Amino acid sequence: MSEDDAQALRSRRVAVPESRQLDLFVEMLESRGATVRRCALVEILDAPDPAPIEAWLADFANGGYHDLILLTGEGLRRLLGVAERAGGDLHARFVESLGGVRKVTRGPKPARALRELGLRSDLAAQTPTTDGVIESLSREVLTGRRVGVQLYGTEPNERLQGFLRGAGAEVVPVYPYVYADQAEDAQVGALINELVQGEIDAIAFTSSPQVRRLFGVARQLEREEALRGALQRVVVAAVGPLVAEALERRHVRVDAMPGQSYFMKPLVRELMTHFAAGSHPDLPE
């Protein structure tokens, strides 16, 4: 790495998504002199308090459950993430117990998340809705069965829980994630303002949902064209081709992307190389 490359990010202001998993990415940028602007570019967030989820996971891993209803693939992945971060053998015990219960899925995404673990859905709803789950379970005997229900956001889905209790089941719900609220939308709006006002030198996208969220909030604020224009004046980095495609579909040019290794460190390296080359004419030196 040349000296120019090593100094390329010094004093540059780089916007990155707010995410616990991206702390290392932030550290890599800051260690190279960049000022990082964290931004809430995720619609789905970990539940703010992991303790109830860890307790539910430990209870499930101890056995005694007969069924687990998975409403979303994201929900199962978030449960696995909490189990892994909790440490010990909770993750392994949870997966083992998951293999021993009847797994009811609302649609193809939770079934796909199960396949990633080498497991399969035992009972799939004919239609991917709450009513579809209820219809499928209405033909089953639920009396005396202990049923875990993976919910999402803060919606208790009383219709589903009420049906299960009415059928004689013991219902044990878990909420592994929440949706971004209006306050977080306001943070995205503030980032859009900073981009439009030329206060950001680069923005790095690490997933397609981040692109959708940024443009979704811009659309709500009627600032989509202003955002698109602003992104022509900053360095836009993408971690890989799927993210690049999401940007290009919105007519945003991608300036920096790793050639083949789609991870954080190569992304930082590409940003450094781009700035060192001075190849973005609209950026001030």
Side-chain angles (χ1 to χ4, degrees), residues 6-278:
Q7 300 296 316
L9 292 180
R10 188 165 300 282
S11 301
R12 297 292 188 180
R13 195 158 192 238
V14 183
V16 303
E18 181 67 79
S19 168
R20 181 185 295 120
Q21 287 78 13
L22 290 178
D23 282 347
L24 181 59
F25 184 36
V26 170
E27 290 171 9
M28 286 190 286
L29 290 166
E30 290 179 338
S31 70
R32 290 160 175 81
T35 299
V36 174
R37 164 61 159 95
R38 291 176 179 256
C39 44
L41 285 186
V42 284
E43 289 182 299
I44 297 175
L45 309 169
D46 286 334
D49 182 6
I53 305 166
E54 290 176 10
W56 184 94
L57 287 163
D59 183 44
F60 187 91
N62 286 335
Y65 282 74
H66 300 94
D67 305 282
L68 175 61
I69 299 174
L70 295 167
L71 296 181
T72 64
E74 183 70 29
L76 177 55
R77 293 188 183 96
R78 295 274 170 168
L79 288 172
L80 292 165
V82 173
E84 189 166 351
R85 289 190 293 275
D89 62 352
L90 182 58
H91 184 277
R93 289 171 55 230
F94 171 64
V95 173
E96 182 180 1
S97 295
L98 194 58
V101 304
R102 179 171 61 176
K103 294 164 285 296
V104 182
T105 52
R106 185 178 64 167
K109 291 183 179 178
R112 187 179 309 126
L114 284 169
R115 288 197 298 273
E116 291 169 4
L117 296 172
L119 301 171
R120 63 178 180 83
S121 172
D122 300 298
L123 180 61
Q126 291 299 308
T127 56
T129 62
T130 292
D131 287 337
V133 173
I134 290 173
E135 182 183 357
S136 296
L137 286 171
S138 65
R139 297 184 288 271
E140 306 292 328
V141 176
L142 298 174
T143 303
R145 294 180 73 87
R146 197 164 192 232
V147 182
V149 183
Q150 172 260 303
L151 298 167
Y152 50 89
T154 56
E155 169 55 51
N157 201 330
E158 291 292 358
R159 191 161 79 257
L160 177 57
Q161 292 201 59
F163 160 76
L164 292 167
R165 292 191 181 101
E170 177 189 355
V171 183
V172 190
V174 62
Y175 297 81
Y177 63 87
V178 297
Y179 289 108
D181 59 21
Q182 291 182 344
E184 286 152 336
D185 283 351
Q187 294 177 34
V188 180
L191 172 66
I192 292 169
N193 285 338
E194 292 173 42
L195 286 161
V196 170
Q197 292 166 12
E199 298 174 9
I200 301 291
D201 296 309
I203 183 167
F205 294 96
T206 59
S207 73
S208 300
Q210 295 160 9
V211 179
R212 291 197 296 270
R213 176 91 191 284
L214 183 64
F215 274 86
V217 173
R219 193 174 307 114
Q220 293 171 22
L221 298 173
E222 299 183 350
R223 305 202 71 189
E224 194 170 2
E225 288 308 312
L227 170 63
R228 189 173 284 108
L231 291 174
Q232 301 305 315
R233 298 188 296 272
V234 305
V235 171
V236 177
V239 75
L242 291 179
V243 182
E245 287 172 14
L247 288 160
E248 289 161 0
R249 282 197 301 272
R250 292 162 176 82
H251 308 290
V252 176
R253 178 198 63 249
V254 175
D255 302 299
M257 185 183 81
Q260 54 184 358
S261 184
Y262 308 128
F263 298 102
M264 301 299 113
K265 190 171 183 178
L267 182 58
V268 172
R269 194 158 46 240
E270 288 297 324
L271 274 169
M272 294 168 63
T273 300
H274 187 91
F275 277 116

